[in-house]
Amino acid sequence: MTVIFAADDFDVTEEAPAKINLALHVTGRRADGYHLLDMLVTFARHGDCLGFRASERDEFSLSGRFSPLLTDGDAGGNLVLKARDLLRQAARAAGFEAPPVHIHLEKNLPVASGIGGGSADAAATLRGLARLWDLALPSDVVNAIALKLGADVPMCLASRPLIARGIGEVIELLPDFPSFAMVLGNPLVGVSTPEVFRMLARKDNPPFVLPLQATNGRMQWIETIEGLRNDLEPPARMLCNEIATLSQLIESQGALATRMSGSGATCFGLFDNLEQATAAAASLHSLRPDWYFQATETIKGDA
């Protein structure tokens, strides 16, 4: 008999918020091939959810709209299981117990869609298992594990508005950053991140310069965001025609600003309030029921 789980059935639950690149400037490239980025990042109140509980043996289960696109295979191909194994190794090296655990992933975000789903899941695994196992590891140890899992994971570990530079590991939190009402949209078409970077016309674009956050309110931030870029959007549009259509559809609903997140194909629109965003998402869903649309709000800097 198949047992159906939900994340809230577990002893410890952790949200894995969608990571939204409000701006992404490609400013250079390191000798090892990694691209240097300036990113303005915030996180949505919508995302995946993970549950954790003690078990006689390690288990992993899935639910949610996009779970059929994943498998519960070995740790080699799953960031959640990689995070479990790396944290367990560090915990035992520090003298902590890290017994078997059942991890459940409720997959609500599209897969490989430019909003950090896998990275957010890995970060939530680090947070959730630290609580379940009652770990007191130094923050630099946990951050090193996060970076080993991927350049986006340290950002997702924070899950607060921030500026990220370097390959994503140099992080500056933005405590006064406002919350935005937002619609997320995705045409459910995959875009290859390596191919997007390969097609960049320039890899030494200007970094961004932000005004003083203390004097920059919500509408001023929207104006600032409109003046920034996602340097990955033009090549992504060449690879995936649906991105242009999606962006136009969101803009047609009265969005204050519209842009692609990350390497795509998810686009977002900022709205005056959640009611408008909810109405826009419903309208967009009626126009394209085969695509993904979600109204949400982003997490405030002081949350």
Side-chain angles (χ1 to χ4, degrees):
M1 182 180 71
T2 301
V3 179
I4 306 299
F5 295 105
D8 56 9
D9 295 333
F10 288 68
D11 297 331
V12 170
T13 59
E14 274 288 335
E15 300 295 326
K19 177 181 74 70
I20 313 301
N21 287 101
L22 296 171
L24 189 159
H25 293 198
V26 181
T27 61
R29 194 174 188 181
R30 300 194 319 194
D32 60 6
Y34 281 96
H35 291 85
L36 299 174
L37 310 172
D38 274 12
M39 292 177 283
L40 177 61
V41 176
T42 193
F43 291 84
R45 295 195 177 277
H46 173 71
D48 296 338
C49 187
L50 287 91
F52 308 85
R53 68 184 177 202
S55 180
E56 293 183 359
R57 58 183 175 82
D58 281 333
E59 298 180 77
F60 179 63
S61 54
L62 290 159
S63 66
R65 175 180 175 183
F66 295 102
S67 62
L69 301 178
L70 303 176
T71 67
D72 57 359
D74 65 0
N78 187 301
L79 279 181
V80 168
L81 303 187
K82 283 184 178 180
R84 177 200 65 193
D85 294 346
L86 288 175
L87 187 64
R88 175 178 281 149
Q89 180 181 354
R92 289 177 173 170
F96 293 98
E97 292 186 4
V101 59
H102 182 174
I103 302 176
H104 182 79
L105 169 58
E106 184 179 296
K107 192 65 185 170
N108 302 314
L109 297 176
V111 175
S113 57
I115 49 177
S119 297
D121 297 341
T125 299
L126 296 178
R127 294 193 301 266
L129 288 180
R131 292 168 55 202
L132 183 73
W133 289 338
D134 195 22
L135 302 181
L137 293 173
S139 59
D140 61 332
V141 172
V142 180
N143 287 332
I145 294 172
L147 186 58
K148 189 172 183 178
L149 289 163
D152 283 353
V153 181
M155 287 178 264
C156 293
L157 194 61
S159 284
R160 291 293 181 270
L162 54 86
I163 295 170
R165 292 189 169 92
I167 64 171
E169 83 285 11
V170 181
I171 291 173
E172 174 192 350
L173 295 179
L174 298 174
D176 298 318
F177 200 76
S179 173
F180 297 107
M182 176 180 288
V183 170
L184 300 175
N186 188 285
L188 304 183
V189 175
V191 181
S192 167
T193 298
E195 189 68 8
V196 170
F197 275 100
R198 189 189 69 79
M199 292 182 63
L200 274 170
R202 288 186 56 181
K203 300 183 180 182
D204 58 347
N205 300 289
F208 59 61
V209 178
L210 298 180
L212 293 175
Q213 289 82 37
T215 60
N216 205 18
R218 178 177 166 275
M219 290 308 299
Q220 288 74 30
W221 264 115
I222 291 177
E223 292 176 5
T224 297
I225 291 165
E226 286 187 294
L228 302 175
R229 315 180 305 273
N230 182 349
D231 290 332
L232 301 183
E233 187 164 348
R237 286 185 177 220
M238 287 189 285
L239 290 167
C240 178
N241 294 331
E242 289 88 346
I243 292 173
T245 302
L246 173 62
S247 182
Q248 291 165 3
L249 283 173
I250 295 174
E251 188 174 355
S252 73
Q253 298 296 315
L256 302 173
T258 307
R259 181 167 290 146
M260 188 185 81
S261 178
S263 58
T266 298
C267 294
F268 65 85
L270 303 180
F271 288 81
D272 273 326
N273 53 59
L274 184 58
E275 291 74 18
Q276 289 184 13
T278 300
S283 176
L284 289 163
H285 179 71
S286 68
L287 291 170
R288 290 303 304 255
D290 53 327
W291 288 3
Y292 163 89
F293 295 102
Q294 177 68 47
T296 185
E297 291 181 299
T298 63
I299 296 169
K300 290 181 63 175
D302 58 359

